[in-house]
Amino acid sequence: MKIATMREAIARYVHDGDTIAIEGFTAFICFAAAHEIIRQGRRDLILCRMTPDLIYDQMIAAGCARKLVFSYLGNPGVGPLHCIRRAVEKGIPRPLEIEEYSHFGMVARYMSGAARLPFFPLRSYMGTDQPKVNPRIQFVDSPYGNGQVAVVPPLNPDVTIIHAQRADASGNTQMWGLLGVQKEAAFAARQVIVVVEEIVDEDIIRSDPNRTVIPGLIVDAVVHQPYGAHPSYAQGYYDRDNRFYLEWDQISREEATTLAWLDEWVYGVDDWSGYLAKLEKREPGIWKRLAPGEAWSQPVNYGVYG
Amino acid sequence: MTNYTPSEIMITSSARALAGERVVFVGVGLPNIACNLAQRTVAPDLELVYESGVFGARPARLPLSIGDPTLISRATLACPMPDLFMYYLQGGRIEVAFLGVAQIDRFGNINTTVIGDYQRPKVRLPGSGGACEIAIHAKKVFIITHLARRTFVEQLHFCTSPGHLSGQPGERAAWDMPGTGPQLVVTDKAIFHFDQETGEMVLFSIHPGVTVEEVQAEVSWPLKIAAELQITEPPTDEELRIIREELDPGGMYL
């Protein structure tokens, strides 16, 4: 049985010192998983994400990580990530090692990991200082005599955590919207936790196979967690809470206010239901505010053969 | 003459530079408004591409980030990021891309990584994101930034994204860079082009009411000035109407 609570899934699959990828480019960022990792007090993690976003800002402020692998360090559309900056610039709450790529470099690392290749070639980094500060970015000559190309090594997380709209009980997972590098990060990982807005019947998955991004074959745990991506979003289910992204810019400016926020919103609740209850108490109309209008796709006919 | 803000003349100057273009890689903020304005004025066939994996976006509201869900709904295509970087960008399908900068040098090389030493940064900036490969592959790069001496520097603290490198002719080609590099820098005081031979930034036009001395005061190197220096055409009433009523009615970026 793959269906698990978030507490069970994190306890079973995420260990101190692990390399973790919680992917999702602006969309589908699984804050529910991050908060549970913080609550369970994981330490010395190597956190990988193209855009660390607020999710890793919070985990790093809570002292979960010893290293960050990334390609864009910002609060998207707002400004800097203050907690990660404090860790990098001042070693607060602890020094943070960084390993930095460009977006394409991170994408290529996941592809390499997913395909079990020793490296992945890309045309990037030429003429820049990036390879000087990250010796894992290398250049190789083409064996066909047509020039040089940059290469990056595979990234194989111990655990990848993906948030999506829906999956069946076996973990066959469907997504629509920004697909990011979720498929690549999942196939690259040794173990995969999928967190979904809805658990659906296998029949629903089978009615639209082109929309299945991750097969149950590679999924170890399925967690049913509606609104588990807040303040990020799930396309068609709820909008990004841009107001919180702006609020975090203020909360995270000082270590004290950050820790007070973690105390109240992460350590101060038992689980994600507790977080959601607090959210709804603070702003009773929150899900109405974040509800998108409806824009349904037209169904397609796959046909019946035989 | 109608009053306009520095952001508005940056937007209209950028939008007009997209005349006749087909595929643009958009950033958030001013580039987003500029591209949407261009689509409604000088480039009706313009396809908006976002690095989050969206081609042919028709945003119904002003996106706060490049991953805003409004970019997905009604888009032509949404793809995984490997497709975006391998087939669209590296595959040579992007004609113009907008980039922002923390520092830029006279050859259009860009720093968005760090102020001070990389290992012991004075200020840690976001880093590359997709900027490095965009600067290499987009056929042309347009830069939008405020004119300031701390931005227009003699020496970058870190080169995140390549421009015209050291200005030697053929240097980008020698590195196998398919794109032609930075072609335009739009600021709140002036517009710059790049010398086709030397790759050096050249003052092309100054906005109404701005002097060459004011521009030079905000640039750390002695500026080359175009033989026939222009005065930037101010925004028209129609452009301002579209910006204020349709594109940014909340005035978030204006």
Side-chain angles (χ1 to χ4, degrees):
Chain A
M1 189 63 179
K2 290 181 186 172
I3 296 199
T5 65
M6 188 67 85
R7 188 178 297 156
E8 291 164 350
I10 298 301
R12 193 177 313 155
Y13 295 110
V14 178
H15 311 290
D16 287 354
D18 277 357
T19 298
I20 305 291
I22 310 178
E23 271 296 350
F25 194 86
T26 316
F28 304 112
I29 305 175
C30 195
F31 282 81
H35 285 197
E36 187 56 34
I37 292 171
I38 294 173
R39 258 191 305 273
Q40 293 194 17
R42 291 294 176 281
R43 289 292 177 268
D44 298 322
L45 300 176
I46 298 176
L47 294 177
C48 312
R49 248 185 85 76
M50 294 177 66
T51 59
D53 203 279
L54 272 49
I55 187 172
Y56 283 0
D57 213 34
Q58 293 173 0
M59 291 177 76
I60 285 163
C64 296
R66 73 168 176 86
K67 183 175 175 180
L68 176 67
V69 183
F70 71 100
S71 49
Y72 182 87
L73 201 60
N75 177 342
V78 179
L81 291 170
H82 298 291
C83 303
I84 295 177
R85 254 169 78 160
R86 265 197 302 279
V88 173
E89 293 168 13
K90 296 176 185 153
I92 299 172
R94 54 176 294 183
L96 183 71
E97 193 186 333
I98 60 171
E99 185 176 322
E100 181 169 6
Y101 297 85
S102 62
H103 275 350
F104 195 8
M106 279 295 279
V107 168
R109 289 203 63 194
Y110 283 125
M111 287 195 286
S112 178
R116 302 310 193 257
L117 284 167
F119 56 81
F120 204 96
L122 66 158
R123 288 194 186 277
S124 190
Y125 300 119
M126 307 90 92
T128 77
D129 288 334
Q130 294 190 64
K132 294 179 194 160
V133 297
N134 183 351
R136 306 192 78 191
I137 300 170
Q138 293 284 333
F139 290 89
V140 297
D141 289 321
S142 162
Y144 304 102
N146 48 0
Q148 262 203 343
V149 68
V151 290
V152 291
L155 177 50
N156 291 105
D158 293 306
V159 186
T160 287
I161 302 175
I162 296 300
H163 193 91
Q165 281 102 338
R166 65 191 187 193
D168 65 18
S170 312
N172 296 303
T173 304
Q174 296 193 328
M175 300 178 61
W176 52 98
L178 294 180
L179 300 178
V181 282
Q182 281 92 312
K183 180 172 61 180
E184 292 70 24
F187 273 97
R190 292 179 185 89
Q191 279 159 326
V192 176
I193 301 172
V194 166
V195 184
V196 288
E197 295 293 321
E198 292 186 79
I199 305 270
V200 296
D201 282 344
E202 189 182 331
D203 284 352
I204 292 184
I205 301 293
R206 289 184 182 276
S207 77
D208 195 1
N210 278 129
R211 218 182 296 280
T212 309
V213 174
I214 295 166
L217 175 73
I218 64 167
V219 173
D220 295 279
V222 181
V223 178
H224 181 216
Q225 189 60 82
Y227 300 115
H230 178 271
S232 172
Y233 70 93
Q235 189 83 29
Y237 285 64
Y238 46 94
D239 197 354
R240 188 170 184 261
D241 194 350
N242 291 329
R243 207 182 280 176
F244 184 80
Y245 275 78
L246 291 164
E247 235 176 87
W248 183 254
D249 185 60
Q250 297 301 317
I251 294 165
S252 60
R253 269 167 204 261
E254 302 296 331
E255 193 195 9
T257 48
T258 307
L259 293 178
W261 186 90
L262 289 172
D263 274 341
E264 184 180 352
W265 290 87
V266 183
Y267 299 112
V269 298
D270 289 336
D271 55 18
W272 196 250
S273 308
Y275 171 88
L276 293 178
K278 266 183 80 69
L279 264 187
E280 286 155 28
K281 193 170 165 209
R282 189 178 77 149
E283 186 192 342
I286 183 167
W287 302 119
K288 203 170 163 196
R289 171 167 69 85
L290 297 176
E294 293 190 0
W296 295 90
S297 69
Q298 294 294 312
V300 297
N301 179 18
Y302 279 93
V304 178
Y305 302 92
Chain B
M1 192 179 64
T2 319
N3 283 324
Y4 54 86
T5 69
S7 293
E8 284 169 334
I9 196 169
M10 292 168 81
I11 291 165
T12 55
S13 301
S14 307
R16 291 171 196 168
L18 291 169
E21 299 291 354
R22 184 84 174 85
V23 187
V24 64
F25 214 87
V26 192
V28 282
L30 299 186
N32 182 71
I33 303 175
C35 294
N36 279 281
L37 177 62
Q39 205 178 46
R40 284 164 169 78
T41 53
V42 294
D45 296 328
L46 195 63
E47 300 282 9
L48 309 183
V49 184
Y50 290 81
E51 74 178 359
S52 50
V54 182
F55 179 87
R58 291 278 188 278
R61 68 178 184 203
L62 195 62
L64 180 68
S65 77
I66 52 168
D68 195 299
T70 193
L71 301 175
I72 287 277
S73 302
R74 296 181 67 243
T76 311
L77 182 149
C79 63
M81 292 185 85
D83 291 17
L84 200 279
F85 282 102
M86 288 201 297
Y87 311 140
Y88 291 81
L89 186 58
Q90 190 169 260
R93 307 293 178 177
I94 306 297
E95 283 166 1
V96 184
F98 282 93
L99 291 178
V101 306
Q103 292 182 326
I104 184 168
D105 69 14
R106 71 175 75 191
F107 299 113
N109 301 300
I110 294 170
N111 173 18
T112 54
T113 299
V114 73
I115 301 296
D117 178 59
Y118 183 84
Q119 304 300 343
R120 301 186 62 82
K122 199 166 144 226
V123 182
R124 176 61 230 202
L125 301 164
S128 168
C132 172
E133 36 269 357
I134 291 167
I136 288 169
H137 291 282
K139 295 206 170 79
K140 291 184 263 189
V141 170
F142 292 176
I143 291 151
I144 302 187
T145 187
H146 285 268
L147 189 70
R149 211 175 166 81
R150 67 189 156 91
T151 306
F152 288 70
V153 297
E154 273 281 8
Q155 183 72 47
L156 300 181
H157 292 182
F158 188 93
C159 179
T160 313
S161 307
H164 301 290
L165 301 163
S166 68
Q168 302 298 315
E171 206 176 348
R172 282 183 63 97
W175 280 103
D176 267 343
M177 294 187 192
T180 62
Q183 301 298 324
L184 177 73
V185 181
V186 175
T187 75
D188 49 331
K189 291 199 166 64
I191 295 172
F192 304 86
H193 290 184
F194 288 84
D195 186 296
Q196 293 301 315
E197 297 292 309
T198 64
E200 186 171 341
M201 205 182 289
V202 176
L203 179 60
F204 172 78
S205 81
I206 49 178
H207 298 345
V210 176
T211 66
V212 172
E213 291 70 29
E214 284 174 73
V215 175
Q216 177 64 73
E218 298 297 345
V219 175
S220 304
W221 65 87
L223 260 178
K224 293 247 163 49
I225 298 168
E228 292 182 26
L229 181 66
Q230 315 277 311
I231 306 289
T232 312
E233 278 295 322
T236 65
D237 289 344
E238 177 59 7
E239 286 170 327
L240 290 174
R241 188 195 64 74
I242 296 172
I243 294 171
R244 292 171 187 178
E245 291 177 17
E246 296 176 18
L247 299 178
D248 190 10
M252 198 190 304
Y253 294 100
L254 304 180

